[in-house]
Amino acid sequence: MGHSRHTGRLLNAVIFLLPFAAAIVCIGIGRYHLSPLESFRVLAAAVTGGEVEATAWSVVINVRLPRILLALSVGAGLAVSGASFQSLFSNPLATPDTLGVATGASFGAVMALLISDNLLTVQFFALAMGLLALLVTCTISRLNGKSSIIMVVLAGIVVSSLFEALVSLMKYVADPEEDLPTITYWLMGSMSKATLKGIAVGIPLIIAGILILFLLRWRLNILSLNEDEARSLGVNVKRLRLIVMAAATLVTASGVSMCGQVGWVGLLIPHAARMIYGSDNRKIIPASICLGAAFMVVIDTAARAATAAEIPVSILTAIIGAPFFIILLRKTGGAKL
């Protein structure tokens, strides 16, 4: 018993430290290589005001640090949103785009890209359209003043398809030489345009959404019960669902607004956490945050360092995520998913 508890604590510590370790190692990887110790010295100098080599400072602080911070927040946000939705809908295949939020945010960003190259404009339009997608989904799902889970999911599918069609329409009318390549590349997901100024707007929103879902993690276990049992435990099921959906929407729309659509993270990472901790959301939610952050940092580093030309992030997440998910399905037979 004592040995098992010690092993569990060690595993928790490893998972908690994983994002920090990934960030320190990956921030030094690239054409200008730095060892983890050198990277740590540069980051420490940024806090303490110490002196370091000018080139190392410029590469780490101005170029790589914004990407690392964005990857950490987006990875953690998408993973915890996926875990929350899977519990909320009692559906192991639920993702951050179940309610059409990601495609709605993509449509907003594409509209902004046709108007302006300003990153803050893109973020505003993406967040606004993501929230609009949630509002439309909730409105459609209401039947006789009530909204069931199955109606919410179906409405989300419809809204997602609608916004996908609108994105295709925007691509069709875009200038094929100037606007279309930019839109296409952005939709495939990339952290390449991350700046400290840009992420200062979006990351606080992601952190706020993550914090809300983290604080509600024990209540997500109650959602696996039927509504009468949940009410008997003093839980307002309708309000809890709305809060979870709003927080996950805030995270998803903010992430999409800064780096485009990134698939598989919200589906894959929660299942990996579930393989380790079972079905207890009190452990799955924190594990998803840490594993998602570390996974996204590693993927983004591979995207920018593997070849001379940067690979879109969503391509790598699909290449890695799809085979892993197939292995997971075959291993569990779908029983634990």
Side-chain angles (χ1 to χ4, degrees), residues 46 56 136 161 181 209 214 236 250 294 335:
V136 173
S161 298
F214 178 80
N236 187 325
L250 189 65

Side-chain angles (χ1 to χ4, degrees), residues 74-75 78-79 82 94-97 102 106 186-191 252 255-256 259-270 292 295-296 299 312-322 325:
V74 169
L78 292 177
T95 68
D97 195 32
S106 295
W186 184 88
L187 285 172
M188 289 191 289
S190 174
M191 312 279 175
T252 304
V256 170
C259 62
Q261 281 191 315
V262 180
W264 284 98
V265 180
L267 178 63
L268 178 66
I269 298 302
F295 177 75
M296 201 69 246
I299 289 293
V313 172
S314 61
I315 292 177
L316 287 182
T317 55
I319 289 173
I320 294 173
F325 200 69

